[in-house]
Structure formats: C-alpha cells, structure tokens
Amino acid sequence: MKIFTPYAVLFLHAFPLNKNMFCSQFEFLEKEGVPYVAVDYFGFGEERNIPSDYSISQLTDYIVYRLSSLGIKKIIPVGDSMGGYIMFDLWRRYRDIISGLVFVSTRAEADTEEGKKGRYATIDRINKEGKEFLIEFMLDAQTSPSTKNDRNKMRKLECMMRQATEEGIIKALKALAERPDNTDILQSIDIPTLVVAGKDDEKVTPPSVVKKIADGIKGSQFVEIDNAAHLPPFENPEAFNRILGEFLKKVL
C-alpha cells in the first residue's frame, strides 16, 4: 500500500505504552481534517520485536523509512517522553522534513550514570521476575491524582502497558540508557516549537525539567497542563487538544 500526503502529524508514544495513548488526538485531528500517522516501537503495541538490540537513531531510521514508504514529505512530530528523544534525533539528522515540533514530558539531557545503572538494574529484574513490577511502578509514577481516580483511564493504561513484550521493554530500556545528550542542539532549533509538561509530574519529568527545553529554544512556547503528570495527551486530552490545535493552526 502506498499513499501520498504532503504533510502529517507524527505521534511518538511514551515508554512503555503504544500509539493508542494518542487515541483522543486521533479523533480530534480526524474532525479537523488534519492527516496524521502514529507508530509503535519494536515490541510495543502492534509492532513485532526485532532480533537485535537497537539505538534511538536506528529506531528513528526505521520511522523515517516508514514515512517515506507512505509518501509523507513533511511532519510535525508530537513526542511524549521516549518520543521526545526520537524527535531530537530527527532534528539532528532529518531536519529537512520537519515543519514544527511538539515536545511533551521529555528532557534534553542524557541519563546520568546513576540513571543508566537504574535502567540496567530494571532489565536484570525483568529477566528474573517478568514485567509485572514495572507496570505497577509506571502506572503510579506516570499518572496524576485525577488520573488515578479515573478507573477507566487506569485500566486503559494498564492494558497498553501489558501489550508491551518483555523483550521489547528490555531493548527499549537499553536504547534509553545509551541515548546521547541533546542539550547541545537546542539552540539550533529554529522552527515553531511547543513544549508541554504535566503540572502534576513529580516523579518522571517535572515541569522544571521539561521547561529547560523551551528555555533553550528561541521563540518556543511552554505550557503546563493541569490534571496531568507524565502523559498529558492521555490524561487531559481536552486541554492538550486545544493547545495542539492552536499550535497546528500556526504551523500548517
């Protein structure tokens, strides 16, 4: 199958979820008539695992290949957490296809040595115990109090996390641990950029951490969303869609 569209919004999901964390954005853009594409990473959602380990840059190459096969010429990436790391790599190596950037609940810095050790310790524990403990931890760490009180949302998040394979989780953790520092390229970003943080994100990417991205990009817009922690597009889709819609009107 091949299609052609001159541009599309590209959704890049958080770890350990999949593209369906953006289900409310899909519905919103369909109503607005804005084309979009959403991908799953290897071993997440509907995407199969690959035999070898991979880096963020190799994942980026695969995504760009998929976009090219669809005939998409320009993208506006919307990346939450791990999705933001892919966006930085897109800017480093494929900036000619990018019209705008929407960073969500992510950071420019690489993992500290302590952070790397933590990821590899998590991998060891998954190998011994399975992924259950990680799912429980992420459900707590990534969500705001209001999301925790919404049983339907929590069930959906848990379902998405359970779709991730243990192999996929382990390989993604390795890619996250070994990703480069991206603070050096912030000043080079010269296209419309929106940076979004969840006001209730205290454990993963607090607003003060996310804001460093906006502070480093001249002319960027920084927004904090209420009743959201690490997953604003999913936790408070009404507020996120409103902000995204306003941004896209300026870019498209």
Side-chain angles (χ1 to χ4, degrees):
M1 179 184 293
K2 182 175 177 62
I3 63 171
F4 172 78
T5 179
Y7 71 92
V9 175
L10 170 65
F11 289 105
L12 300 165
H13 65 81
F15 170 90
L17 300 167
N18 59 54
K19 63 179 177 292
N20 289 323
M21 68 166 285
F22 295 109
C23 58
S24 294
Q25 285 69 56
F26 301 162
E27 182 178 351
F28 170 68
L29 292 186
E30 286 164 15
K31 289 180 180 177
E32 295 295 316
V34 177
Y36 66 84
V37 60
V39 298
D40 290 326
Y41 312 146
F42 304 123
F44 295 84
E46 298 175 333
E47 189 66 42
R48 63 179 177 82
N49 285 299
I50 57 174
S52 61
D53 291 341
Y54 63 88
S55 64
I56 291 293
S57 62
Q58 288 171 315
L59 180 55
T60 302
D61 289 340
Y62 175 71
I63 291 169
V64 171
Y65 166 77
R66 292 284 300 274
L67 293 171
S68 177
S69 70
L70 292 172
I72 297 170
K73 302 299 183 183
K74 287 284 187 177
I75 55 171
I76 302 101
V78 178
D80 194 315
S81 190
M82 183 175 175
Y85 308 146
I86 297 168
M87 288 170 58
F88 282 122
D89 192 51
L90 280 167
W91 180 253
R92 281 186 185 277
R93 301 188 295 124
Y94 297 102
R95 64 182 65 179
D96 58 315
I97 68 171
I98 305 174
S99 299
L101 294 162
V102 183
F103 292 101
V104 185
S105 300
T106 192
R107 67 180 72 218
E109 299 85 359
D111 272 1
T112 62
E113 285 305 311
E114 182 180 357
K116 284 185 180 182
K117 289 179 182 178
R119 292 197 195 273
Y120 281 102
T122 300
I123 290 171
D124 289 341
R125 189 173 171 188
I126 292 171
N127 282 324
K128 295 174 182 176
E129 303 176 21
K131 64 184 179 181
E132 187 66 30
F133 78 94
L134 179 67
I135 292 174
E136 292 180 5
F137 173 79
M138 297 301 266
L139 283 171
D140 177 67
Q142 292 188 335
T143 54
S144 66
S146 62
T147 302
K148 288 181 174 67
N149 288 329
D150 189 322
R151 292 183 180 179
N152 186 45
K153 283 184 178 179
M154 293 301 288
R155 281 195 296 267
K156 288 181 179 179
L157 282 176
E158 182 177 357
C159 180
M160 280 186 270
M161 291 183 186
R162 290 191 181 283
Q163 286 181 301
T165 65
E166 290 178 5
E167 181 182 353
I169 289 171
I170 288 170
K171 290 178 178 179
L173 283 169
K174 291 178 182 178
L176 291 171
E178 301 303 328
R179 74 184 191 278
D181 186 279
N182 292 297
T183 55
D184 62 319
I185 64 169
L186 293 177
Q187 63 182 2
S188 73
I189 297 176
D190 56 1
I191 59 175
T193 302
L194 172 64
V195 183
V196 179
K199 189 168 288 186
D200 297 324
D201 193 347
E202 299 177 350
K203 299 180 179 179
V204 189
T205 49
S208 60
V209 171
V210 182
K211 189 175 183 295
K212 292 179 182 179
I213 297 175
D215 290 341
I217 301 173
K218 186 177 180 180
S220 64
Q221 178 187 3
F222 176 70
V223 180
E224 291 184 32
I225 292 185
D226 292 326
N227 298 319
H230 196 56
L231 309 169
F234 181 86
E235 296 184 83
N236 191 344
E238 297 81 11
F240 186 86
N241 289 348
R242 182 175 65 254
I243 295 164
L244 177 63
E246 292 171 356
F247 177 77
L248 292 177
K249 287 178 182 178
K250 299 175 185 177
V251 178
L252 298 179

